[in-house]
Every structure is written in C-alpha cells, then in structure tokens.
Amino acid sequence: MEPGGLEWLLVPMQQLVSWGAAGAMVFGGVVPYIPQYRDIRRTQNAEGFSTYVCLVLLVANILRILFWFGRRFESPLLWQSIIMIITMLLMLKLCTEIRVSNELNVKRRSFAAADSKDEEIKAPPKRSYLGNRANLIWKWLRIVLYTSC
C-alpha cells in the first residue's frame, strides 16, 4: 500500500471533525437554555431565572463582537456570540411576557376579589419610582426596552 493511499479518507474526515468542533463551539453555549426555555414556557413561571444572566451575557457577547472589528478572530467565536445574543433576547422576551401575564392575572384576581369580597388576594406592592432605583434596573415589562438598551 502506498503512503498516500489513505489521504483520500483522512482529508474529508479532518474537515468533518473541524466542522463538528466549530458547530459544537457555536451552539454549545446555547444548549443549556433550551430545556430552561421549555420549562419556563410550560410552567408559565420565570421566578427561577434571573434576567441579570441575560444582561451579563449580552454585554459580554456584544463586547466580543466589537472586539472582532478591531482584531479578527475565528469565525465560530463570532457566530457563537451572535447565536448567544439571539438566545438571550428570546429568553428576555419569554420572561417579559410571563411577568406581564402574571401581573395582569394578579390584578384581575385582586379586582374580582374586591368585587366579591369572598376571597382576599393581596396585590403585589406598587413599585416606588422615588425609592431605590437599583431595583428597577433590568426589570422592564416590554422587550423593546431591553433591545433599546
């Protein structure tokens, strides 16, 4: 057998492994959020998920993209940042929708309880815009505000 006899097989295999590694790099960071997204959507409860995680990952990935313009690095890392930004925006959208829905349900039950006076449901305390403003950062009720920020 000649020395270059297996080269026809090794080159495509190396390319396949390279593409697989790049794909794992691009989508590997997003995979843990898929079951979390599904669970939040199924239960309609986003209490266990912090939107600050989204904030940190959005800032980190935006900075990485901005760095790419100054000093080019491997394209899978660039695509990883783009995919992660899209994922975090989807998570924020879901959490925002659920938060708005839950607040509306509490207000409806509170309104119905005030009419019937049979059940006592306390509405959540109103937010004070003059008080501690740090509590209001990154807790908006519209996805447009997150994307604008």
Side-chain angles (χ1 to χ4, degrees):
M1 188 180 244
E2 61 193 56
L6 292 178
E7 189 173 312
W8 65 273
L9 182 61
L10 287 178
V11 172
M13 287 300 289
Q14 287 174 340
Q15 190 67 32
L16 186 64
V17 168
S18 176
W19 287 344
M25 193 181 313
V26 169
F27 294 104
V30 173
V31 170
Y33 292 100
I34 295 170
Q36 195 165 23
Y37 183 91
R38 292 177 65 193
D39 188 48
I40 291 171
R41 178 161 302 284
R42 181 180 51 79
T43 62
Q44 292 294 302
N45 184 359
E47 291 297 319
F49 182 76
S50 173
T51 55
Y52 293 117
V53 171
C54 296
L55 173 63
V56 169
L57 288 172
L58 283 169
V59 168
N61 285 290
I62 289 169
L63 288 174
R64 186 191 294 175
I65 290 172
L66 291 174
F67 184 80
W68 182 82
F69 287 109
R71 186 168 197 165
R72 303 288 166 114
F73 49 81
E74 292 183 32
S75 61
L77 291 174
L78 177 65
W79 283 107
Q80 179 189 48
S81 292
I82 293 168
I83 297 296
M84 186 59 79
I85 287 171
I86 292 168
T87 302
M88 289 301 104
L89 289 175
L90 288 172
M91 291 297 291
L92 282 172
K93 182 179 184 297
L94 176 64
C95 291
T96 303
E97 289 171 354
I98 288 174
R99 189 178 309 128
V100 167
S101 173
N102 289 344
E103 284 188 16
L104 284 175
N105 286 339
V106 167
K107 287 179 183 176
R108 283 183 192 137
R109 285 185 289 163
S110 177
F111 184 71
D115 282 349
S116 68
K117 297 190 187 210
D118 289 340
E119 61 180 287
E120 188 172 325
I121 298 176
K122 293 183 179 179
K126 296 194 182 227
R127 295 179 182 153
S128 171
Y129 291 100
L130 301 174
N132 188 358
R133 290 182 180 241
N135 290 335
L136 300 175
I137 295 175
W138 208 250
K139 292 186 180 181
W140 299 306
L141 296 176
R142 293 184 8 217
I143 189 67
V144 173
L145 296 173
Y146 287 106
T147 54
S148 296
C149 181

